[in-house]
Amino acid sequence: MKLGKTYNPSDHELDIYKLWEETGAFTPKNRGGQGSFTITVPPPNANGNLHLGHGLTIAIEDVATRYQRMQGKAALLLPGADHAGFETQVVYEKVLASNEKSRFDFSREELYSQIWDFVAENKDNYQTQFRKLGASVDWSRYVYTLDKKIVDRAYETFQKMWNEGLIYRGERLVNFCTHHGTGFADIEVEYRNVKGYLWHIDYPLTDGSGKVTVATTRPETMLGDVAVAVHPDDKKLAKFVGKTIKLPLTNREIPIIADEMVQTEFGTGAVKITPAHDQNDYEVAERHDLPMITVISHEGKMTHEAGDFAGLEVKQARKQVVKALEAEKLLAKTEDYEHSVGHCYKCGTVIEPLLREQWFINMKPLAKEALKALEAEKIKFYPDNKRTQLIEYLKNLRDWNISRQIAWGIPIPAFQNIDDEQDWIFDTRVKQETIEVNGKTYRRDPDVFDTWFSSSSWPYATLDYPDGKDFNEHYPLSLMETGADILYPWVSRMIMFGLYVTGEVPFKQVYLHGLIQDEHGAKMSKSKGNVVNPMEKIDQYGSDAFRMGIIADESAGNNRPYDESKLIGARNFCNKLWNIARFIENKVGDTPKRGSVVPKTISDHWVLARLKSASERVGELLENYQLAEAYEVIYHAVWDDVADWYIEASKSSENDGMLGYVLEVILKLAHPFAPFVTEAIWQNLGDNKENLLITAPWPIVTDYDNQKAKEFEQIKALITELRQLSKNLKLSKPTLNHTVSSLISENDALIKQLTGAGEIVQSSSTKGVRLLSAQAWLDVEDSKLKEYQKEITEKIKAKKAAIDNFNKRLANRSYTENAPKHIVEETMHARSKTESNLDLLETELKRFS
RNA sequence: GGGCUCUUAGCUCAGCUGGCUAGAGCGCUUGUUUUACACACAAGAGGUCACAGGUUCGAGUCCUGUAGAGCCCACCA
């Protein structure tokens, strides 16, 4: 089949992907490699579109997987999709809003089934996009986070924790979004700096002997104050401890207590204690056994405890309280004040710390095991500093609130005795609202799990823990590759859960990629309109170009701006591969003679040397996940070594077996990065239908004669020098004289081909310009030699500087004595070579002047 | 307050265990239609590796400090 002039990705990509899929190429199968290689793809939202980060994830994971597959390992890239509880419900609420409905119009069951259908409608979308990216995932193992096996694992884990006392239910301060009506884990709260005020309020002592001034950013919470705290050693304020205060705007009397948490130098040195709405205050109240008064409801309104202010929105209440205090002349001062306030990461509503009953996991024991594993380096991190970072995080880990008050998620398998609030039991009959156990009636907890709770089991749940075949063969995973931003919420928890449930680390390596920002380094966001859509880029440049372009800038852990020029470079590279194939097809036909590789010319030996080194180097780099560097090595092996040198050289002396072989090797090398174009070529050349490139073995390059390879290097240097001189001296078809170089005479056709030299003759004439790379002279008219003088002078200068450098180093006895022998030898070699070049140049200069 | 990064060519970045006469892509300059490719070929220009010290025979690479940029965590009433 004749290949077209340029590679047009869209002509091939769909067919090629279909071919892989239909032939079962993605199914893990050991082809002689050592063991298995396994990655579970971090599941994207089932209803969403892939963004650039997903594109990068797939590119990295697929390159690694394809490389390992070619190493003969049973390679598995396992795809999945996430129900993404809260995220998806938020999206669906927007859909409802556009139909002038809200979640309050439906029961949780109704909502759940509506969202189920909504997601089902959009699920194909993401699968199509994975295919466009060329993800070599095994679709037969596709897992959805609401699949039975995932839910079952979540329930088992919950039960195990319950039985072992790691799960507790308690009324604690919870980060609550009053707009979305659900609590969050600490880690999900987004803190932002907010300009506000620090209000100083006078609290009169009950005995009338004076006042204590407190400072607060939230005056409305004073209605829920239960004490005022001062530092026990505070020189001015400690004397008030034990007295009481008549709390303004209420008729309550509250004590003044001493607690070390108070910082005397901050604010007024006296802190109002509102345990129901502040984490610190909550802890103080626990220590001092104080009551907790809730004045803000889960809807963000003041409760009946707020007296006259009941029913007001928090913001309104704040204004009203300030006004009332002013009226009573109790507002001592209002200062501008910037501080950090928790916000809902979806809607931006200020997070209210509210007292709620929720399920918590005691994280200490889990973190302890994870710390042990991390400190023992049981998991290799790319980059390693993320491991250190995770260790610090785990040392200070707090308990995890896993209850969410939303519909879309996995129901928590816990039921409460309707006659005894304290009596909770574990039961998985969550489809029923009430169950009977031992003659008692229990009502289901209406909440669902935090989505991260079930995703924490991802590595083993997807592989059919505990007794599935996959679990046996593929666990622990070889690699967990994901965004550095979910190191804490996901990676840390997978490690803890993996250790807790399976007793093993869930993966042996972690690769964390950074964020792709826009071209100016700003975060991409829909609202800014600076989002780059990977699917559009694939349509524009092709899937391979997208993959390589996005990887070309990648280094573990670092954020980097999106750079389209890299995609363009990669697109050109695909075209280069295509045209190499086209050239070779013209020479040797559709069926390159694989297997009959006999290197004859020095360029044959040389290209084998280059390809061998590239193949080995790429292997090393990929084992270390230095993807951008591996890509660069392949890029230059293909473009410089094969296209610019080997193919050009072949035009003077063709070796069809070699051409076919060289093509085969570069297609294999490039395949992990550019799967479509390489497979498209492979399929076009000969009958490869039974023999796909995707499952072909990684090339082990055939033997060559190193001496001959080196000879080509010499000729290469000669050619480069000739081209340089011809260009600088504006020569056309110059004659090259050489004395007795058999290398030159044997390769005169090659030299002529690549330099446009006119004649190459063996002669004793030393007329013209002496080359540095060989005992040869380029025949140049005397008139042109004048122009060359300046260049020689400059070259001489550079050589002298270099020699000075070498001399300095070699004169230093500490260097010659301490540096490794081969380094010193290299230096000496370099010096003598530079010196002889300098000699030649100086002789030349003398001759000209 | 704590932790972690980053600063190398006009732009975006590599440079892993110190040996560099510092690399790549894109851009730029000059020339070329040459048995596939102008998404091309050939030849070039361009950097005191943020700064200051230190360790070392030798530092872009290790250490300390300074300046600037960023990310994350924390109970900033």
Side-chain angles (χ1 to χ4, degrees):
Chain A
M1 183 186 162
K2 281 278 178 195
L3 304 177
K5 193 168 177 180
T6 49
Y7 172 61
N8 184 10
S10 58
D11 291 347
H12 307 275
E13 290 179 357
L14 283 176
D15 291 344
I16 294 291
Y17 196 91
K18 220 165 121 195
L19 175 68
W20 290 329
E21 232 182 317
E22 283 169 357
T23 50
F26 302 152
T27 313
K29 188 174 159 197
N30 194 299
R31 295 180 178 83
Q34 293 285 316
S36 63
F37 181 84
T38 311
I39 299 177
T40 54
V41 181
N45 291 5
N47 75 305
N49 287 306
L50 300 189
H51 55 63
L52 222 42
H54 294 119
L56 176 62
T57 295
I58 289 300
I60 294 171
E61 294 174 8
D62 196 56
V63 167
T65 304
R66 283 178 187 270
Y67 168 72
Q68 297 291 353
R69 188 181 288 121
M70 292 176 86
Q71 289 295 319
K73 291 186 191 173
L76 171 59
L77 188 57
L78 192 149
D82 192 357
H83 70 283
F86 176 61
E87 307 264 339
T88 304
Q89 176 161 326
V90 169
V91 171
Y92 189 68
E93 280 181 36
K94 279 184 193 151
V95 174
L96 286 179
S98 67
N99 296 322
E100 286 169 25
K101 289 252 163 49
S102 95
R103 68 191 149 99
F104 300 112
D105 298 331
F106 307 98
S107 71
R108 284 203 183 175
E109 277 71 18
E110 286 168 334
L111 261 184
Y112 185 93
S113 90
Q114 287 176 24
I115 300 177
W116 179 278
D117 294 340
F118 171 70
V119 172
E121 271 174 38
N122 292 296
K123 227 154 64 176
D124 286 354
N125 208 20
Y126 125 84
Q127 299 193 357
T128 309
Q129 295 178 3
F130 259 45
R131 288 180 166 90
K132 280 188 86 163
L133 282 160
S136 61
V137 294
D138 184 354
W139 289 109
S140 71
R141 284 171 162 87
Y142 170 85
V143 186
Y144 181 41
T145 54
L146 293 181
D147 284 351
K148 186 172 180 305
K149 66 180 176 189
I150 302 296
V151 176
D152 286 350
R153 292 300 87 77
Y155 285 176
E156 283 162 20
T157 307
F158 186 72
Q159 184 177 25
K160 180 172 154 77
M161 289 177 169
W162 177 300
N163 291 339
E164 293 174 7
L166 290 179
I167 295 272
Y168 63 92
R169 187 174 176 85
E171 187 174 63
R172 295 293 139 97
L173 271 187
V174 170
N175 309 296
F176 204 85
C177 172
T178 54
H179 174 256
H180 286 119
T182 182
F184 291 111
D186 293 336
I187 199 174
E188 291 171 296
V189 178
E190 187 180 302
Y191 286 88
R192 300 184 198 157
N193 273 344
V194 169
K195 280 185 183 156
Y197 302 98
L198 192 58
W199 283 277
H200 295 240
I201 309 170
D202 291 336
Y203 280 8
L205 295 170
T206 318
D207 64 13
S209 64
K211 61 179 185 185
V212 172
T213 306
V214 300
T216 182
T217 54
R218 303 201 56 188
E220 72 282 5
T221 62
M222 61 138 332
L223 301 165
D225 283 3
V226 297
V228 167
V230 299
H231 195 277
D233 303 330
D234 190 309
K235 282 178 188 136
K236 283 186 199 154
L237 299 172
K239 62 182 178 198
F240 294 121
V241 174
K243 295 200 175 197
T244 61
I245 272 165
K246 195 180 168 308
L247 187 63
L249 312 184
T250 71
N251 43 25
R252 286 190 291 118
E253 210 174 291
I254 58 173
I256 298 173
I257 58 170
D259 195 287
E260 308 246 328
M261 92 25 127
V262 181
Q263 292 172 34
T264 49
E265 64 282 2
F266 188 90
T268 60
V271 185
K272 59 191 272 310
I273 300 300
T274 322
H277 301 288
D278 183 279
Q279 185 62 37
N280 274 325
D281 295 4
Y282 177 88
E283 283 160 25
V284 172
E286 290 263 274
R287 284 197 285 274
H288 296 267
D289 202 20
L290 296 166
M292 306 193 183
I293 301 173
T294 294
V295 292
I296 298 168
S297 75
H298 64 275
E299 291 171 309
K301 291 183 176 156
M302 304 308 284
T303 67
H304 70 279
E305 297 276 6
D308 295 345
F309 303 92
L312 289 175
E313 300 266 345
V314 169
K315 266 191 184 167
Q316 291 303 317
R318 182 173 300 174
K319 282 184 191 157
Q320 299 297 327
V321 166
V322 169
K323 217 186 235 175
L325 289 169
E326 256 172 346
E328 299 199 19
K329 302 236 181 317
L330 293 171
L331 197 62
K333 196 161 83 169
T334 307
E335 271 181 82
D336 287 339
Y337 187 64
E338 192 178 310
H339 63 139
S340 167
V341 178
H343 290 75
C344 173
Y345 73 98
K346 273 289 160 203
C347 67
T349 303
V350 171
I351 293 290
E352 286 294 343
L354 296 181
L355 278 176
R356 311 260 315 183
E357 275 223 352
Q358 311 265 283
W359 294 104
F360 289 86
I361 302 177
N362 171 8
M363 298 303 282
K364 280 272 164 335
L366 299 175
K368 199 178 146 199
E369 292 305 311
L371 276 167
K372 252 197 256 170
L374 289 176
E375 268 154 11
E377 303 197 37
K378 292 248 168 75
I379 303 173
K380 169 102 178 117
F381 277 70
Y382 299 88
D384 188 58
N385 69 59
K386 296 290 174 193
R387 189 178 60 88
T388 324
Q389 223 171 296
L390 190 52
I391 287 173
E392 288 307 311
Y393 173 75
L394 290 173
K395 281 181 184 162
N396 303 305
L397 192 58
R398 291 199 289 167
D399 288 354
W400 179 11
N401 165 18
I402 52 170
S403 296
R404 295 295 175 275
Q405 293 73 54
I406 57 175
W408 185 234
I410 299 175
I412 295 178
F415 288 75
Q416 184 182 35
N417 187 336
I418 57 168
D419 298 317
D420 178 2
E421 286 190 348
Q422 300 303 309
D423 180 17
W424 281 88
I425 57 167
F426 172 88
D427 201 293
T428 57
R429 284 175 283 171
V430 292
K431 291 229 163 101
Q432 305 174 39
E433 216 161 319
T434 58
I435 56 170
E436 301 287 324
V437 176
N438 297 331
K440 289 179 250 176
T441 304
Y442 289 83
R443 184 175 291 127
R444 191 190 68 214
D445 180 351
D447 289 352
V448 301
F449 282 127
D450 179 348
T451 306
W452 294 112
F453 179 82
S454 48
S455 347
S456 301
S457 307
W458 195 244
Y460 52 88
T462 50
L463 295 173
D464 301 330
Y465 173 82
D467 44 22
K469 194 166 162 275
D470 277 353
F471 182 73
N472 251 331
E473 289 170 11
H474 293 279
Y475 190 84
L477 307 179
S478 310
L479 177 69
M480 173 49 62
E481 192 286 331
T482 191
D485 55 331
I486 51 175
L487 173 63
Y488 299 156
W490 196 38
V491 177
S492 76
R493 288 161 178 169
M494 283 190 285
I495 296 172
M496 289 187 276
F497 275 48
L499 286 164
Y500 180 66
V501 173
T502 73
E504 275 184 274
V505 292
F507 28 74
K508 292 176 230 157
Q509 308 178 93
V510 175
Y511 183 102
L512 296 164
H513 61 253
L515 220 62
I516 303 180
Q517 302 146 325
D518 78 3
E519 55 202 321
H520 308 292
K523 196 171 171 173
M524 286 191 185
S525 73
K526 276 187 202 151
S527 55
K528 278 188 219 151
N530 59 354
V531 175
V532 173
N533 178 351
M535 295 305 131
E536 276 174 23
K537 293 302 157 192
I538 288 176
D539 291 340
Q540 201 175 344
Y541 299 115
S543 183
D544 296 327
F546 173 80
R547 294 161 58 110
M548 292 188 282
I550 209 77
I551 276 178
D553 260 339
E554 170 59 22
S555 73
N558 291 331
N559 295 349
R560 60 356 199 299
Y562 172 75
D563 183 358
E564 189 145 324
S565 74
K566 294 278 158 64
L567 270 67
I568 294 169
R571 188 262 327 254
N572 297 352
F573 177 64
C574 292
N575 194 237
K576 181 52 81 170
L577 276 167
W578 187 255
N579 273 289
I580 290 171
R582 228 155 65 88
F583 176 84
I584 294 179
E585 185 195 31
N586 278 336
K587 292 289 174 199
V588 304
D590 279 356
T591 45
K593 304 175 188 70
R594 274 183 225 102
S596 60
V597 191
V598 184
K600 292 173 193 147
T601 63
I602 55 172
S603 63
D604 290 343
H605 289 278
W606 176 83
V607 78
L608 291 174
R610 300 299 298 165
L611 289 174
K612 188 181 173 71
S613 135
S615 161
E616 288 169 0
R617 183 77 186 126
V618 168
E620 279 166 32
L621 290 166
L622 287 182
E623 298 284 354
N624 272 314
Y625 300 106
Q626 289 174 269
L627 299 157
E629 280 204 279
Y631 164 59
E632 205 177 298
V633 170
I634 292 166
Y635 181 98
H636 290 292
V638 170
W639 202 312
D640 302 353
D641 297 342
V642 172
D644 291 345
W645 285 103
Y646 185 66
I647 288 199
E648 290 307 318
S650 80
K651 289 175 183 173
S652 75
S653 169
E654 190 177 317
N655 180 339
D656 286 356
M658 277 294 297
L659 281 172
Y661 179 72
V662 165
L663 179 61
E664 180 183 328
V665 171
I666 60 173
L667 290 178
K668 285 178 173 182
L669 289 180
H671 182 262
F673 288 87
F676 287 111
V677 65
T678 51
E679 185 78 77
I681 295 168
W682 190 266
Q683 292 303 318
N684 271 302
L685 292 180
D687 183 18
N688 279 313
K689 297 276 184 282
E690 301 299 314
N691 175 19
L692 302 180
L693 181 58
I694 182 177
T695 47
W698 189 251
I700 298 165
V701 176
T702 202
D703 281 339
Y704 58 90
D705 181 336
N706 199 36
Q707 188 51 43
K708 293 199 167 142
K710 278 189 176 154
E711 284 174 14
F712 187 76
E713 285 289 349
Q714 287 175 41
I715 293 292
K716 200 167 159 262
L718 173 81
I719 288 167
T720 304
E721 197 183 3
L722 276 177
R723 284 170 172 172
Q724 228 173 65
L725 287 168
S726 303
K727 164 111 180 165
N728 290 348
L729 298 173
K730 299 190 173 64
L731 306 178
S732 164
K733 301 206 168 188
T735 298
L736 183 69
N737 294 310
H738 65 99
T739 48
V740 281
S741 172
S742 55
L743 190 58
I744 292 178
S745 44
E746 279 162 19
N747 291 289
D748 67 337
L750 176 65
I751 297 167
K752 279 185 200 160
Q753 171 71 33
L754 295 188
T755 60
E759 291 297 321
I760 296 178
V761 288
Q762 189 172 326
S763 125
S764 55
S765 160
T766 57
K767 180 171 170 285
V769 179
R770 168 71 210 260
L771 302 187
L772 297 180
S773 52
Q775 258 196 29
W777 287 259
L778 195 58
D779 191 355
V780 181
E781 292 165 41
D782 288 346
S783 61
K784 288 202 170 174
L785 286 177
K786 285 268 175 213
E787 296 171 35
Y788 189 52
Q789 274 190 48
K790 220 164 95 191
E791 252 174 76
I792 285 204
T793 317
E794 265 166 40
K795 277 188 189 165
I796 287 176
K797 227 167 100 187
K799 299 282 177 202
K800 277 186 171 162
I803 290 168
D804 275 357
N805 226 320
F806 292 133
N807 280 340
K808 233 185 262 167
R809 208 180 309 166
L810 289 164
N812 185 343
R813 274 187 55 196
S814 320
Y815 172 71
T816 48
E817 278 163 22
N818 295 325
K821 247 188 189 155
H822 72 274
I823 297 282
V824 179
E825 275 168 21
E826 269 172 37
T827 311
M828 290 182 4
H829 184 74
R831 177 175 66 176
S832 65
K833 199 177 166 192
T834 316
E835 277 173 346
S836 66
N837 280 341
L838 179 65
D839 275 356
L840 289 175
L841 288 167
E842 281 179 332
T843 317
E844 289 282 278
L845 190 63
K846 249 181 244 158
R847 231 157 37 84
F848 297 157
S849 37

